[in-house]
Amino acid sequence: MNSRSQAKYSIIAVFVGLSVGSLFFLPFNVNPLEAYRTMFQTAFLDTQGLGTTLTKSTPLIFVSLGTLVAWKSGFYYLGFQGTLYLGATGAAIVALASRDGHLLGNCPSFLIFFVALIASFLFGGLWSLIVGLLKVKNGGNEVLLSLMFNYIAIYLVNYLVTRPLRASGSVPQTERFPSKVILPRLFGELNDLHLGFVVAIISASIVWWSFRFSKIGYEVTSLGLNEKASRFAGINSVKVTLLASFTAGGLGGLAGWSQVLGVQYRLLDGLDQSTGFEGIVTSLLGSLNSIGAVFASILYGGLAYGSQVMQRRTGIPSSVASMIQGIIVFLVLIMPFWKNFLKNNASALKYSQLFRRENTHE
């Protein structure tokens, strides 16, 4: 399905999902049109709300791009929650080292920015590369391995913030990062949107260009479509898989970088609960296309934020907002299958009518 067709079916899925979801408002005597107006106006039309939406979508974009790179190569990695935690750890180590009297205390802000960015990418990339090595060398199942590695990463961060990196106090977290390493706001302090969103868009552009014009993008795509044919054509499947696993994990690590330096300003226990999995969903919503992944992430982030505001203003339970969001995601995901089903049945009906017509003439 091309990008235009995917966008059309995604819009249809959103409207159908909202229509079905309006039934959940009936027991609470809430006008669904007013509730939806509040949700979309807050998330996409209000200036400050749009900034919050784009901020929430930033880590989703990074994970979506990582999913795209991994899955297009046939490396079905599900460990982005772990790479997010490792990327956040890399950024936190650099940020703590930039305090006065420490290793990077006298470095300018722009240099620390790039060091933290590279550290997050390397930490996340090396974490996923371990799973890639286990797959190509020992035939390990990357789905199971990556899921288990998520828990290792989460408990590793838990150990760091409760022991060696813990700040004084009762909460397991590091010290607040120096102001010079915090990602600057793009439109002043009244807007949550930070520089990480720009980096996410640049990353999406690089991924798009790589798959469209570069040799390695062609090799990744070919390997994912047919591994045996790719090997016959001279593509080094081991090298491509390892490169894809490292790049995917690095992009997932940048999700953690954007969270700790752009939102939380410290590394803490339980820093993120679900972005590593939601980013996989938004990548699928975007049909594993970099441009589609960006718009799907923004839509998902807006629905998440708008649903929270809608819940507070209308008084409906949070479960209703979650169900509506889940219905929309489900409908978007099944749209390609539904289209193929209708197409196949239309073809079968056409041939059936033709067969009947020929028999009638005989």
Side-chain angles (χ1 to χ4, degrees), residues 229-247:
S230 298
R231 289 178 177 176
F232 182 78
I235 295 175
N236 188 330
S237 61
V238 173
K239 183 191 74 173
V240 173
T241 299
L242 294 179
L243 180 61
S245 66
F246 175 77
T247 305

Side-chain angles (χ1 to χ4, degrees), residues 116 121 128 132 174 223 241:
F121 192 92
S128 60
T174 65
L223 182 63
T241 299

Side-chain angles (χ1 to χ4, degrees), residues 189-201:
E189 292 300 323
L190 295 179
N191 197 302
D192 293 331
L193 187 60
H194 54 72
L195 189 60
F197 179 74
V198 176
V199 176
I201 298 302

Side-chain angles (χ1 to χ4, degrees), residues 326-344:
I327 290 171
I328 293 174
V329 171
F330 172 74
L331 290 174
V332 173
L333 290 178
I334 68 169
M335 273 297 173
F337 303 101
W338 178 246
K339 178 188 176 184
N340 291 332
F341 174 78
L342 293 178
K343 182 179 179 180
N344 294 334

Side-chain angles (χ1 to χ4, degrees), residues 46 91 106 113 146 180 218 220 251 319 324 352-353:
D46 177 74
N106 296 324
F113 170 84
S146 57
K180 64 180 179 180
Y218 167 78
V220 168
L251 289 167
S319 57
I324 295 172
S352 176
Q353 292 173 346

Side-chain angles (χ1 to χ4, degrees), residues 289-321:
N289 175 280
S290 55
I291 298 176
V294 170
F295 284 104
S297 298
I298 294 174
L299 174 63
Y300 195 94
L303 288 175
Y305 173 62
S307 297
Q308 294 173 359
V309 177
M310 179 181 68
Q311 174 197 342
R312 292 196 300 266
R313 294 186 182 178
T314 62
I316 63 172
S318 60
S319 57
V320 172

Side-chain angles (χ1 to χ4, degrees), residues 2 7 12 17 35 39 49 74 77 108 143 163 169-170 182 190-191 209 245 251 260-262 271 292 299 324 327 354:
N2 57 41
I12 294 173
M39 180 173 68
Y77 188 72
V143 174
R163 296 295 180 184
S170 58
I182 292 175
L190 295 179
N191 197 302
W209 182 89
S245 66
L251 289 167
V260 295
L261 297 187
L271 66 97
L299 174 63
I324 295 172
I327 290 171
L354 181 61

